[in-house]
């Protein structure tokens, strides 16, 4: 069993995924089972969610972070979902130590739907502490990658680095009657996935140079968590899961990065 925890980036899409049972949720669940089987239960999870998009870099310290239902107009069943995780004081302190004056504590937020709608499938027992790190909207893709790089050491201490966003996320161009992706979505998703698989990190960092960026990433909030995750990897092998595009302009693609794929 490997001692270095993997890194996971997952697409999350609509919050309704929390109460669905389909190919995508099974993909999420399978990643959680794989991690537990091959690496053991993570000591805690550092979650980098697109939905805590801030004007600085913040980390949570609350012993019991509140569950944020940051979505509107969904069935009551979704708001009844509980994911009652604890925080982790030690993980918060380690993030502060690694990032220094680049980060400050902020407990005004909580565990938002970018985190809990995925983790409720990956780790349904809610028995692993979770600490959220904000996505700093002031940082470039390269700077976001650099933050992730500084967090790499957490992996050797039993912590799982988890990013939640979408490779393609354009709510203004959603096609509700489209079960697949548009040509722009499929092309951009493939280019990013090919770059991740071949460790061509510069392509991902400079995603704004790709043909379909203005369509696929109209705002950086859902893409940047991938850069944080990518920064925390070096020479890792990659497994792709949920390589599925839907609603025309959404990609649910996820990546599992691990140092030893045969752990």
């Amino acid at each position: 069993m490997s001692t270095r925890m993997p890194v996971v980036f997952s697409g999350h899409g609509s919050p309704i995924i929390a109460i669905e049972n389909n190919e995508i949720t099974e993909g999420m669940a399978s990643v959680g089972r794989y991690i537990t089987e091959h690496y053991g239960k993570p000591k805690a999870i550092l979650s980098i969610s697109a939905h805590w998009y801030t004007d600085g870099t913040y980390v949570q310290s609350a012993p019991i972070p509140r569950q944020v239902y940051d979505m509107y107009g969904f069935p009551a069943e979704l708001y009844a979902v509980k994911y009652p995780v604890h925080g982790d004081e030690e993980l918060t302190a380690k993030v502060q130590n690694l990032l220094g004056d680049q980060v400050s504590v902020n407990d005004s937020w909580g565990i938002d739907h970018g985190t809990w709608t995925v983790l409720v499938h990956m780790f349904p027992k809610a028995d692993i502490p979770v600490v959220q790190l904000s996505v700093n909207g002031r940082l470039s893709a390269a700077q976001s990658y650099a933050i992730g790089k500084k967090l790499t050491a957490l992996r050797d201490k039993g912590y799982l680095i988890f990013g939640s966003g979408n490779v393609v996320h354009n709510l203004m161009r959603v096609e509700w009657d489209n079960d697949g992706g548009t040509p722009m979505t499929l092309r951009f998703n493939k280019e990013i996935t090919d770059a991740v698989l071949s460790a061509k990190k510069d392509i991902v960092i400079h995603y704004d140079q790709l043909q379909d960026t203005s369509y696929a990433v109209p705002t950086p909030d859902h893409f940047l968590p991938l850069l944080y995750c990518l920064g925390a990897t070096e020479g890792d092998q990659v497994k792709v899961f949920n390589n599925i595009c839907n609603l025309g302009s959404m990609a649910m693609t996820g990546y599992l990065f691990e140092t030893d794929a045969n752990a």
Side-chain angles (χ1 to χ4, degrees):
M1 183 175 289
S2 176
T3 57
R4 169 169 272 206
M5 274 287 160
V7 175
V8 176
F9 172 82
S10 177
H12 62 248
S14 169
I16 206 73
I17 196 76
I19 57 175
E20 291 182 326
N21 182 13
N22 55 31
E23 180 183 2
I24 293 172
T25 63
E26 174 52 31
M28 294 171 175
S30 69
V31 168
R33 291 193 298 267
Y34 178 86
I35 291 171
T36 302
E37 178 182 348
H38 291 271
Y39 297 90
K41 187 170 77 172
K43 187 173 183 179
I45 297 170
L46 181 67
S47 178
I48 305 155
S49 166
H51 291 276
W52 197 22
Y53 189 67
T54 59
D55 61 356
T57 298
Y58 302 114
V59 66
Q60 293 174 343
S61 68
I64 303 179
R66 68 187 180 97
Q67 184 172 345
V68 182
Y69 295 88
D70 53 324
M71 64 278 184
Y72 308 95
F74 289 91
E77 183 183 1
L78 178 59
Y79 301 94
V81 174
K82 304 298 181 185
Y83 196 72
V85 292
H86 286 75
D88 189 279
E89 180 181 7
E90 184 178 335
L91 175 54
T92 298
K94 288 185 181 300
V95 171
Q96 290 178 286
N97 182 58
L98 291 169
L99 299 185
D101 60 7
Q102 288 183 282
V103 68
S104 56
V105 169
N106 185 326
D107 288 323
S108 65
W109 193 233
I111 305 302
D112 61 53
H113 85 261
T115 295
W116 61 262
T117 64
V118 179
L119 294 186
V120 75
H121 296 292
M122 286 189 179
F123 303 106
K125 294 180 180 180
D127 59 349
I128 303 171
V130 178
V131 172
Q132 279 203 189
L133 178 73
S134 74
V135 177
N136 188 342
R138 293 180 176 179
L139 300 185
S140 67
Q143 290 170 324
S144 300
Y145 174 88
I147 291 285
K149 197 171 184 66
K150 290 185 176 182
L151 297 171
T152 306
L154 294 174
R155 300 175 61 187
D156 296 317
K157 304 296 184 181
Y159 298 108
L160 177 69
I161 297 174
F162 166 71
S164 179
N166 293 95
V167 172
V168 180
H169 183 271
N170 189 336
L171 292 180
M172 300 300 294
R173 299 293 292 273
V174 163
E175 300 174 4
W176 296 106
D177 59 348
N178 188 346
D179 292 332
T182 63
M184 294 84 78
T185 295
L186 295 172
R187 185 164 53 229
F188 188 88
N189 183 63
K190 184 177 187 304
E191 288 175 328
I192 292 298
T193 298
D194 287 349
V196 170
L197 285 170
S198 58
K200 295 179 179 178
K201 295 184 178 182
D202 282 347
I203 292 177
V204 187
I205 292 171
H206 299 291
Y207 70 93
D208 57 338
Q209 297 180 12
L210 297 177
Q211 175 182 350
D212 301 294
T213 299
S214 61
Y215 173 91
V217 190
T219 58
D221 47 328
H222 277 68
F223 192 84
L224 289 180
L226 173 58
L227 272 300
Y228 284 80
C229 289
L230 200 64
T233 71
E234 188 60 50
D236 287 59
Q237 299 181 55
V238 185
K239 288 183 172 70
V240 181
F241 64 98
N242 287 343
N243 194 359
I244 297 168
C245 298
N246 56 25
L247 299 179
S249 59
M250 303 286 284
M252 294 298 295
T253 312
Y255 311 105
L256 172 70
F257 303 88
E258 52 188 338
T259 301
D260 181 2
N262 298 309

